[in-house]
Amino acid sequence: MRVRPVLVLAGIFGAAALTTVFVVSRLPREGQVSAAGAADARGAGPAPAGAGDVTPALEPAARPSDGVLAVRVTAGGEPQAGAAVRAYLDDPALGWRRAGDATAGADGTVRLFARPGAYLVVARAAGLAPGRTEAVRHAGEDATRVDVVLEPASVLEGRVTARGGGPIPGARVRAVQLVSASPGFAPPSAPGEEIAAAQTGPAGGFRLEGLAPGAYALAVDAAGHHPALRRAPVPGDALEIALEPLGRVEGVVLLDGRPAAGATVRAVSADHGATAIAGGDGRFALSAPAGSYRVQAALGDRAVA
């Protein structure tokens, strides 16, 4: 690949009003990119049951010939008659899809038609927290047995502040139960109905109710601040989450003296990163936590850092 210089003119980072010209004719190295019920127990009301999204139904629906998920729901070792059971398919191409709903019989069991794939099976019963279990339907398997255990609900509380500053009201907090022991820590993914959500109150506090015991991925974001991802046990101590304020990089990318429309611009530090696409006039704007960054630009076979 040929690498020829692209001129990047970047200005305004954080509170500083600086203008810098980068003209470097070597391929940019990739840097580490960051992911992006008390009225105020510390300031927030109770969380809704989910984040508000409705997961689309799987189409076409599974048929009896596809096989079944044979689900048994218990609490304290006893079958939970009347428990509501739902299966979500994690489709690699489409994302989460509702694959089936049923009500448990007197023996606490249901059978849901399900084609091969990876599923999240969720059961709910009055007075208990939702139970969630992952299941994989293998091709050639007539029935995949799934046990879902329900437990009393727990609460997760915390407070969101600006790093080195005061509370952040109106921050969005989302919690996803981690039902597998997979390595690493990725941004939380779950059907919208299975995400517990809340907003922080005037004192920066939040409260998530009705949670099943276990480990959760917690995503916190607020306008003007870098999002945070945390892992939290439930039940557990109240959390203190500090968000970093965002600075701003603005500038223009030029190619042979003309605006480089569509150029990709990255600002990369040891801990964070941000990306923007230059507009038709070559101008770009991106936000990142305060710090020292390497600014990179690329368009086709031309790149500069």
Side-chain angles (χ1 to χ4, degrees):
M1 180 181 72
R2 293 180 302 154
V3 180
R4 292 182 288 176
V6 174
L7 179 64
V8 180
L9 177 63
I12 308 179
F13 189 88
L18 300 177
T19 301
T20 308
V21 178
F22 298 86
V23 186
V24 182
S25 58
R26 60 178 179 172
L27 184 69
R29 295 173 54 195
E30 196 63 50
Q32 181 180 356
V33 179
S34 58
D40 198 311
R42 300 218 288 187
D53 297 330
V54 176
T55 303
L58 179 65
E59 295 181 353
R63 300 171 299 178
S65 59
D66 291 319
V68 299
L69 293 169
V71 183
R72 181 170 182 261
V73 185
T74 61
E78 297 297 322
Q80 294 299 294
V85 179
R86 172 175 288 181
Y88 300 93
L89 174 66
D90 189 4
D91 188 292
L94 302 175
W96 292 105
R97 289 293 185 268
R98 283 184 291 113
D101 293 88
T103 301
D107 59 355
T109 66
V110 300
R111 293 170 68 85
L112 297 169
F113 301 138
R115 61 177 64 112
Y119 291 85
L120 175 67
V121 181
V122 183
R124 286 179 165 84
L128 297 167
R132 301 179 179 93
T133 302
E134 288 183 340
V136 177
R137 280 268 307 118
H138 296 287
E141 190 176 53
D142 291 335
T144 300
R145 300 193 179 281
V146 183
D147 288 309
V148 183
V149 178
L150 305 184
E151 299 182 69
S154 294
V155 172
L156 178 63
E157 294 181 301
R159 185 169 179 261
V160 180
T161 61
R163 190 174 298 279
I168 301 178
R172 184 172 63 160
V173 182
R174 293 170 295 159
V176 172
Q177 187 176 10
L178 301 173
V179 295
S180 69
S182 58
F185 186 67
S189 172
E193 299 90 331
E194 305 306 324
I195 300 175
Q199 273 196 334
T200 57
F206 66 88
R207 179 180 174 90
L208 294 162
E209 299 179 336
L211 303 183
Y216 284 78
L218 205 66
V220 184
D221 61 87
H225 293 80
H226 191 268
L229 283 173
R230 291 279 298 272
R231 188 179 180 123
V234 174
D237 296 334
L239 299 175
E240 291 287 341
I241 302 173
L243 301 185
E244 295 185 60
L246 292 176
R248 186 172 176 87
V249 177
E250 295 180 343
V252 62
V253 185
L254 302 176
L255 175 61
D256 298 331
R258 296 187 299 274
T264 299
V265 183
R266 294 184 178 91
V268 182
S269 73
D271 301 308
H272 301 293
T275 302
I277 303 298
D281 57 358
R283 295 190 176 278
F284 68 89
L286 53 81
S287 297
S292 180
Y293 285 78
R294 179 184 180 90
V295 178
Q296 307 168 341
L299 179 64
D301 65 349
R302 302 194 183 191
V304 70

